[in-house]
Short mmCIF file of all heavy atoms in Angstrom, two decimals:
data_model
loop_
_atom_site.label_atom_id
_atom_site.label_comp_id
_atom_site.label_asym_id
_atom_site.label_seq_id
_atom_site.Cartn_x
_atom_site.Cartn_y
_atom_site.Cartn_z
N ARG R 1 25.64 144.88 77.43
CA ARG R 1 26.81 144.98 76.58
C ARG R 1 26.65 144.14 75.37
O ARG R 1 27.18 144.56 74.23
CB ARG R 1 28.02 144.45 77.37
CG ARG R 1 29.08 145.46 77.43
CD ARG R 1 30.34 144.93 78.11
NE ARG R 1 30.22 143.90 79.10
CZ ARG R 1 30.01 144.10 80.45
NH1 ARG R 1 29.99 145.33 80.91
NH2 ARG R 1 29.99 143.13 81.29
N ASP R 2 25.91 143.08 75.40
CA ASP R 2 25.70 142.27 74.14
C ASP R 2 24.79 142.92 73.18
O ASP R 2 24.98 142.67 71.97
CB ASP R 2 25.06 140.93 74.60
CG ASP R 2 25.97 139.95 75.21
OD1 ASP R 2 27.15 140.14 75.10
OD2 ASP R 2 25.52 138.92 75.85
N ILE R 3 23.92 143.86 73.68
CA ILE R 3 23.02 144.59 72.74
C ILE R 3 23.55 145.95 72.37
O ILE R 3 23.52 146.28 71.20
CB ILE R 3 21.70 144.78 73.47
CG1 ILE R 3 21.01 143.36 73.75
CG2 ILE R 3 20.75 145.61 72.62
CD1 ILE R 3 19.87 143.45 74.67
N CYS R 4 24.09 146.61 73.30
CA CYS R 4 24.49 148.03 73.03
C CYS R 4 26.06 148.10 72.83
O CYS R 4 26.82 147.68 73.76
CB CYS R 4 24.09 148.85 74.31
SG CYS R 4 24.44 150.57 74.14
N SER R 5 26.43 148.63 71.73
CA SER R 5 27.89 148.60 71.42
C SER R 5 28.56 149.89 71.88
O SER R 5 29.83 150.06 71.78
CB SER R 5 28.08 148.47 69.93
OG SER R 5 27.41 149.60 69.22
N ASP R 6 27.81 150.80 72.38
CA ASP R 6 28.39 152.15 72.75
C ASP R 6 28.72 152.19 74.24
O ASP R 6 27.80 152.20 75.07
CB ASP R 6 27.40 153.22 72.38
CG ASP R 6 27.88 154.62 72.69
OD1 ASP R 6 29.07 154.86 72.82
OD2 ASP R 6 27.05 155.56 72.91
N ASN R 7 30.04 152.22 74.55
CA ASN R 7 30.47 152.21 76.00
C ASN R 7 30.02 153.47 76.68
O ASN R 7 29.65 153.37 77.91
CB ASN R 7 31.97 152.10 76.03
CG ASN R 7 32.44 150.76 75.78
OD1 ASN R 7 31.76 149.77 75.97
ND2 ASN R 7 33.70 150.65 75.26
N GLN R 8 29.89 154.58 76.07
CA GLN R 8 29.42 155.86 76.75
C GLN R 8 27.98 155.62 77.08
O GLN R 8 27.54 156.02 78.23
CB GLN R 8 29.56 157.02 75.80
CG GLN R 8 29.22 158.36 76.56
CD GLN R 8 29.62 159.47 75.66
OE1 GLN R 8 30.00 159.40 74.48
NE2 GLN R 8 29.46 160.68 76.18
N SER R 9 27.17 155.02 76.33
CA SER R 9 25.74 154.79 76.64
C SER R 9 25.65 153.80 77.84
O SER R 9 24.83 154.02 78.73
CB SER R 9 25.01 154.24 75.46
OG SER R 9 24.90 155.13 74.45
N LEU R 10 26.45 152.75 77.83
CA LEU R 10 26.45 151.85 78.94
C LEU R 10 26.84 152.50 80.24
O LEU R 10 26.24 152.22 81.27
CB LEU R 10 27.37 150.65 78.61
CG LEU R 10 26.93 149.74 77.46
CD1 LEU R 10 28.01 148.83 77.09
CD2 LEU R 10 25.63 149.03 77.80
N LYS R 11 27.84 153.34 80.19
CA LYS R 11 28.24 154.09 81.38
C LYS R 11 27.07 154.99 81.91
O LYS R 11 26.90 155.08 83.10
CB LYS R 11 29.52 154.89 81.12
CG LYS R 11 30.75 154.12 80.93
CD LYS R 11 31.97 154.95 80.69
CE LYS R 11 33.17 154.00 80.38
NZ LYS R 11 34.31 154.88 79.97
N ALA R 12 26.43 155.59 81.01
CA ALA R 12 25.30 156.48 81.34
C ALA R 12 24.20 155.71 82.05
O ALA R 12 23.62 156.15 83.05
CB ALA R 12 24.77 157.28 80.18
N LEU R 13 23.88 154.50 81.54
CA LEU R 13 22.89 153.63 82.13
C LEU R 13 23.29 153.27 83.56
O LEU R 13 22.47 153.36 84.47
CB LEU R 13 22.66 152.36 81.38
CG LEU R 13 21.96 152.53 80.02
CD1 LEU R 13 22.01 151.21 79.23
CD2 LEU R 13 20.52 153.04 80.21
N GLU R 14 24.54 152.89 83.72
CA GLU R 14 25.03 152.53 85.07
C GLU R 14 25.10 153.68 86.04
O GLU R 14 24.87 153.53 87.19
CB GLU R 14 26.38 151.77 84.96
CG GLU R 14 26.35 150.42 84.49
CD GLU R 14 25.43 149.52 85.33
OE1 GLU R 14 25.59 149.50 86.60
OE2 GLU R 14 24.54 148.82 84.80
N ALA R 15 25.49 154.83 85.56
CA ALA R 15 25.61 155.96 86.39
C ALA R 15 24.31 156.43 87.06
O ALA R 15 24.27 156.97 88.06
CB ALA R 15 26.22 157.14 85.62
N ASN R 16 23.19 156.14 86.36
CA ASN R 16 21.86 156.58 86.85
C ASN R 16 21.17 155.36 87.53
O ASN R 16 20.05 155.48 87.85
CB ASN R 16 21.03 157.07 85.68
CG ASN R 16 21.50 158.43 85.19
OD1 ASN R 16 21.86 159.25 85.97
ND2 ASN R 16 21.48 158.49 83.88
N ARG R 17 21.90 154.31 87.71
CA ARG R 17 21.21 153.07 88.22
C ARG R 17 20.53 153.26 89.59
O ARG R 17 19.46 152.70 89.89
CB ARG R 17 22.24 151.98 88.32
CG ARG R 17 21.77 150.63 88.74
CD ARG R 17 20.85 149.94 87.82
NE ARG R 17 21.69 149.63 86.59
CZ ARG R 17 21.08 149.00 85.53
NH1 ARG R 17 19.85 148.70 85.60
NH2 ARG R 17 21.77 148.80 84.50
N ASP R 18 21.00 154.18 90.42
CA ASP R 18 20.48 154.38 91.80
C ASP R 18 19.22 155.15 91.72
O ASP R 18 18.57 155.27 92.80
CB ASP R 18 21.57 154.96 92.71
CG ASP R 18 22.02 156.31 92.24
OD1 ASP R 18 21.37 156.93 91.36
OD2 ASP R 18 22.90 156.74 92.88
N MET R 19 18.78 155.74 90.67
CA MET R 19 17.57 156.48 90.52
C MET R 19 17.56 157.81 91.33
O MET R 19 16.52 158.45 91.37
CB MET R 19 16.35 155.68 90.92
CG MET R 19 16.14 154.46 90.09
SD MET R 19 15.49 154.94 88.42
CE MET R 19 13.96 153.98 88.41
N ASN R 20 18.69 158.26 91.87
CA ASN R 20 18.76 159.54 92.48
C ASN R 20 18.33 160.67 91.64
O ASN R 20 17.63 161.59 92.01
CB ASN R 20 20.09 159.78 93.09
CG ASN R 20 20.36 158.95 94.34
OD1 ASN R 20 19.46 158.50 95.02
ND2 ASN R 20 21.63 158.73 94.68
N ASN R 21 18.83 160.68 90.39
CA ASN R 21 18.44 161.80 89.45
C ASN R 21 16.97 161.75 89.13
O ASN R 21 16.34 162.81 89.01
CB ASN R 21 19.31 161.68 88.15
CG ASN R 21 20.75 162.00 88.41
OD1 ASN R 21 21.08 162.66 89.29
ND2 ASN R 21 21.60 161.61 87.47
N VAL R 22 16.48 160.59 88.96
CA VAL R 22 15.09 160.44 88.66
C VAL R 22 14.23 161.00 89.76
O VAL R 22 13.30 161.78 89.54
CB VAL R 22 14.72 158.93 88.41
CG1 VAL R 22 13.21 158.73 88.29
CG2 VAL R 22 15.38 158.42 87.11
N GLU R 23 14.49 160.62 90.96
CA GLU R 23 13.77 161.06 92.15
C GLU R 23 13.91 162.60 92.28
O GLU R 23 12.93 163.32 92.65
CB GLU R 23 14.19 160.36 93.42
CG GLU R 23 13.90 158.90 93.41
CD GLU R 23 12.41 158.53 93.18
OE1 GLU R 23 11.53 159.28 93.57
OE2 GLU R 23 12.20 157.43 92.72
N ALA R 24 15.05 163.08 91.97
CA ALA R 24 15.30 164.60 92.10
C ALA R 24 14.46 165.31 91.08
O ALA R 24 13.80 166.34 91.35
CB ALA R 24 16.73 164.93 91.87
N VAL R 25 14.37 164.77 89.90
CA VAL R 25 13.56 165.44 88.86
C VAL R 25 12.08 165.37 89.20
O VAL R 25 11.34 166.34 89.08
CB VAL R 25 13.76 164.81 87.42
CG1 VAL R 25 12.75 165.24 86.40
CG2 VAL R 25 15.15 165.10 86.89
N ILE R 26 11.56 164.20 89.69
CA ILE R 26 10.22 164.01 90.08
C ILE R 26 9.85 165.06 91.25
O ILE R 26 8.91 165.74 91.17
CB ILE R 26 9.93 162.59 90.47
CG1 ILE R 26 9.90 161.74 89.20
CG2 ILE R 26 8.61 162.51 91.24
CD1 ILE R 26 9.93 160.27 89.54
N ASP R 27 10.80 165.13 92.20
CA ASP R 27 10.53 166.08 93.32
C ASP R 27 10.43 167.52 92.83
O ASP R 27 9.61 168.25 93.26
CB ASP R 27 11.63 165.88 94.38
CG ASP R 27 11.58 164.58 95.11
OD1 ASP R 27 10.56 163.94 95.10
OD2 ASP R 27 12.60 164.26 95.81
N LYS R 28 11.38 167.88 91.96
CA LYS R 28 11.42 169.28 91.42
C LYS R 28 10.12 169.56 90.66
O LYS R 28 9.48 170.64 90.86
CB LYS R 28 12.62 169.50 90.62
CG LYS R 28 12.76 170.89 90.08
CD LYS R 28 14.05 171.24 89.54
CE LYS R 28 14.17 172.62 89.00
NZ LYS R 28 14.00 173.66 89.93
N CYS R 29 9.72 168.61 89.84
CA CYS R 29 8.44 168.83 89.08
C CYS R 29 7.30 168.92 89.96
O CYS R 29 6.39 169.73 89.71
CB CYS R 29 8.32 167.70 88.05
SG CYS R 29 9.49 167.76 86.63
N GLU R 30 7.19 168.12 90.98
CA GLU R 30 6.06 168.17 91.95
C GLU R 30 6.08 169.54 92.61
O GLU R 30 5.02 170.13 92.81
CB GLU R 30 6.15 167.08 92.92
CG GLU R 30 5.71 165.65 92.41
CD GLU R 30 5.93 164.54 93.32
OE1 GLU R 30 6.49 164.66 94.42
OE2 GLU R 30 5.54 163.41 92.95
N LYS R 31 7.18 170.01 93.11
CA LYS R 31 7.29 171.34 93.79
C LYS R 31 6.88 172.48 92.82
O LYS R 31 6.27 173.45 93.27
CB LYS R 31 8.69 171.48 94.40
CG LYS R 31 9.05 170.71 95.53
CD LYS R 31 10.42 170.94 95.91
CE LYS R 31 10.77 169.92 97.07
NZ LYS R 31 12.22 169.94 97.37
#
């Protein structure tokens, strides 16, 4: 928050914090 002034960007970072989307993309790419 001290660095990034855009609340929407901060929400996006937090929304993906669990890495589920990352793992899903990696799995799909591997398949």
Side-chain angles (χ1 to χ4, degrees):
R1 235 185 333 269
D2 287 344
I3 297 168
C4 182
S5 61
D6 180 24
N7 284 333
Q8 188 171 4
S9 295
L10 292 170
K11 286 178 185 176
L13 289 173
E14 282 303 312
N16 291 320
R17 182 71 62 184
D18 62 11
M19 296 286 237
N20 286 337
N21 289 340
V22 170
E23 296 301 332
V25 169
I26 290 170
D27 289 344
K28 181 165 178 68
C29 288
E30 286 175 353
K31 287 177 186 170

